[in-house]
Structure formats: C-alpha cells, structure tokens
Amino acid sequence: MTEYLFTFLSLTRAQSGQRALQSRGIAADLRRTPKEMAARGCGYSLAIPEADLWPAVEILREHQIAYQAVYRVLEGGALEEVVL
Amino acid sequence: MIYLDSAATSFQKPPEVRAAMLRAMERCASPGRGGYREAMEAAETVYRCRERFADFFSCEPEQVAFTSSATHSLNIAIKSLVGPGDRVVVSAFEHNAVMRPLAAVGASIFVAESKLFDRAGTLAAFREAVTQDTRAVICTHVSNVFGFILPLEGIAALCRERNVPLIVDAAQSAGILPLSLRELGAAYLAMPGHKGLYGPQGTGVLICGRVPERTLVEGGTGSLSQQLEMPDFLPDRLEPGTANVPGIAGLEAGLRFVQRTGPETVAEREALLVRRVVRQLERLEGIRIFAGPDQAGVLSVQFSGMDCETAAEGLARKGIAVRAGLQCAPLAHAAAGTLETGTVRLSTSAFTTEREIDCFAAAVAELGGGKKKKPAGCPCNRRRNQL
C-alpha cells in the first residue's frame, strides 16, 4: 500500500494534525521522519494511506495546521517530494 | 492536620494525580526525542495535557507552554515584552512574581492605586493609568493575600480598546474562575499547575496569545536542530530541555479532576466557606477581618495584640496550617494598610470541609479572639469525644 508522509515544524503541530485527521476517520500514524528529511523540522511526520491523501490535505487546511512538505514513500523506503 | 494554605499550594491532591505521575514514571521517556514506544507515550502524555488546557482556557494546544511555576511563566511573559524604561501598569495587588521581574528589567512601574474590594475603583484606576505609550498591563486575577477578585474582564476590554498587551497572573484563579484566552484577548495567561489545577509542585503553564519576542532559556527542543537560534514557533520556543513528563501527567489528571468537579462548584464552595468563617469570626472581639463582596477562597485576618507570625504559630500548634506575613505581596499589603504588620491568611481548596473551617474559627477564639459569647469549642474535638 502506498503511503504519504506529511512533515511538520513541531511535534505538537504533528500531533494536532493527527488528532484532526483521526477525528475524521483517517488513520494518521505519527512516526519519526527519515533522517534526510528531518533536519528542517521536528523529526516527526504523519503517515497517510494513499486513498486518504486529498481528504487529509483538506482537513489540515481546514484546521489551519501547516505541514512542511509531503513525500510519497517509494518501494524500498525512498522518498519523493510531492507538490500538491 | 487541617490544611488551610491552598493559596501556597493545594497540598491535598486527587488520588488520580499521583497515579498518573507514577504511570508516567514507569512508562514515559522523553517526548520529541525518539520514535520508540516510551518516547511516543511521553509525547502522547504531554499532548493530552496540552489539549485539555487548550479546551479549558479556549486556545490551541500549541499555545500551551509548560513551565515550572507561575513565577517562571510570568518571567517569560514579562521579559519577552518589557524592556528598560518601558511604562508598565500594574494593579495594587501584585505579587513579587510580577514586581521583581519588572524591577529586574528596569521597567517604569505605574501602580493603578485602588482600595481593597473596590472593583469599580480598580477599573477606574486602570482607565486613568493605561496610556497610549503603556508597553504592558499586568494584573492579578485574584489577590493572593485578600482573595479580592479584580475586574479582569473590564481591564482586558480596556487593553483591547487601547491596544496594550495584557499579562494575567492567574495564580489564584486558574481552575476556579472562568478564564478564556479567546475572550480576554490577553497576550499571556500565567498560572501555576499546583494550586487550583491540582497538579504537583514544579508545574506551571503559560498560555500564549502571541509568540514571545525574547526567550528566557535556550536549548534543545528536538526541532530545527541544525540552527543555533531557538525556533520561532510555539510551544518549542519556550520549552527547551527535557519536559517534566511525570509532572505534566499529574497536571493533566489535576485538570481532569477540576473539569469533573466543575470549577464553578469549587468556586462557589470556597466562597461559601469563606463567608462561613467570616460569620464566625465576626462574633469575636480583637479580630480584624478583611472580607468583601467579591472574594475568592482566600481570607486575611489580624489578631489584636498578637503579631501574625505568633498567631500562625499558635494555630500550627493546634494542627492548623495557615500562612503568615506579607505572602510575597507587599504591594497588596500597602493597599490594605497592613504592610507593617502582615496578616494571617487562610485559603481553601476543593478538599476543605466546613468542619475544618469551624475548627479554625474555634482555634482563633481560643488563641486570642476573646469571644463575645461562650466558645462552643472545636467541632473536631466534639466529634472525637462522641466517637
């Protein structure tokens, strides 16, 4: 299953995002961000299933929870930034 | 022991506070520092507390910064806003947690002088004192010496109207009186975790209406680690170093207790207890009582012919814990005319009982009140005798 990672400036903001998504039925897994993407933020990101990508973006915007970037998790764990 | 010193710290805590702290000590590592289970559980514990505070004080979780005390919170707020020579208007009832940081930064302090329990006069004094060039207004919500509830809503409206940042010292009101960051529009709400919120000592909170320009302490936050400057976003900007996770867990349990009990229930009960003791003390000769219409669960008294420390010592010998002296608020004593003498202060909590209040009144009578009528004796003793 393809996943997308949303990165955030702070752990607290990532947690706020997680709560907002979970309250709307989206499984958002809070986890460490791979090292090469972590330097600009807090080191945590939310993993979202592909099917929930656009609803997740909408919900985060609705709650004014700013994310830094979105990455598609490729096979083998490599990340590719996605411009939404 | 009859504990009547909850304005210092609410010594009696709900059992769930201790349980939550113990659980955190057993299961939580450092939040924001790892992806392993114990770090994630710590992060969840801390965030849960932020969420609860955000809900209770009408703000966002990111606006909740954890500190070690109300004094710590006030220092952050004051030193981020006020510089040397800045005009700052304060109430006549401020604690040294406000006055000393202001003195340390070299602020130009203007006291909005008013009489004790005079809410209209207090508001009028602020109206006169707050000028366009005022850098900040700092106001305690409830006097820690006299329990006087200041007209915070009116002062906040004035600050909004004149575009002056407001710092609220909620040391004696958080968890008891309504406080909404959104409604007040304050720059900061500073509060201890260990009084009316029933958390453990060593906890405090700063609710931020803005991102502080200056920081008080710098260090690792787990975010933006490659840059030397502190992050410019909340709460990271104010929370360097390892979080007090057991304390925060206990604080969350304390606030949960407050929400379950109902802050309005606690406030009403504490005010009733104060009125009850006032009625009893009024029957005594030689006791000066500082009571008024807008009073929280704090009461100051003086004994004729006995200094306050001796009186408090006498009460301590009878197993009653109160606070004597200036209670770190010489400004408030100056306003009430008690700067030279100090007072004996009793303060209540959700756990204070009517019987304890009656015991206090009886002890005061025995100690030197010289009752007009024959003392009925301490109800606690009566009960013990019956048993």
Side-chain angles (χ1 to χ4, degrees), chain B residues 140-156:
Chain B
T140 185
H141 194 180
V142 171
S143 162
N144 72 305
V145 181
F146 300 105
F148 171 34
I149 303 170
L150 280 82
L152 183 63
E153 293 78 10
I155 293 165

Side-chain angles (χ1 to χ4, degrees), chain A:
Chain A
M1 184 180 68
T2 305
E3 276 187 331
Y4 287 80
L5 287 186
F6 286 66
T7 61
F8 296 85
L9 264 180
S10 78
L11 168 60
T12 306
R13 197 167 294 174
Q15 290 174 300
S16 294
Q18 186 186 33
R19 288 291 203 271
L21 295 172
Q22 285 177 341
S23 73
R24 301 277 282 272
I26 293 180
D29 185 32
L30 181 65
R31 62 173 72 152
R32 291 293 282 179
T33 306
K35 190 178 180 303
E36 62 270 28
M37 309 305 167
R40 289 190 294 152
C42 61
Y44 290 88
S45 48
L46 292 177
I48 311 286
E50 185 173 32
D52 291 326
L53 175 64
W54 286 107
V57 169
E58 282 304 310
I59 291 165
L60 292 175
R61 284 180 182 161
E62 197 180 300
H63 284 80
Q64 296 179 317
I65 298 168
Y67 52 84
Q68 281 191 293
V70 181
Y71 299 92
R72 181 187 291 119
V73 184
L74 303 173
E75 268 184 47
L79 299 177
E80 175 186 70
E81 186 162 0
V82 180
V83 179
L84 299 173

Side-chain angles (χ1 to χ4, degrees), chain B residues 286-297:
Chain B
I287 301 295
R288 186 178 177 200
I289 309 156
F290 297 85
D294 296 293
Q295 190 165 16

Side-chain angles (χ1 to χ4, degrees), chain B residues 260-306:
Chain B
R260 196 176 64 236
T261 309
E264 59 291 333
T265 306
V266 176
E268 194 177 323
R269 182 178 160 69
E270 289 190 14
L272 275 172
L273 289 170
V274 164
R275 285 202 289 277
R276 183 183 179 96
V277 74
V278 167
R279 277 199 304 275
Q280 295 180 61
L281 296 179
E282 278 173 346
R283 296 191 210 119
L284 305 177
E285 285 177 349
I287 301 295
R288 186 178 177 200
I289 309 156
F290 297 85
D294 296 293
Q295 190 165 16
V298 178
L299 177 75
S300 263
V301 297
Q302 287 180 322
F303 290 65
S304 173
M306 188 185 297

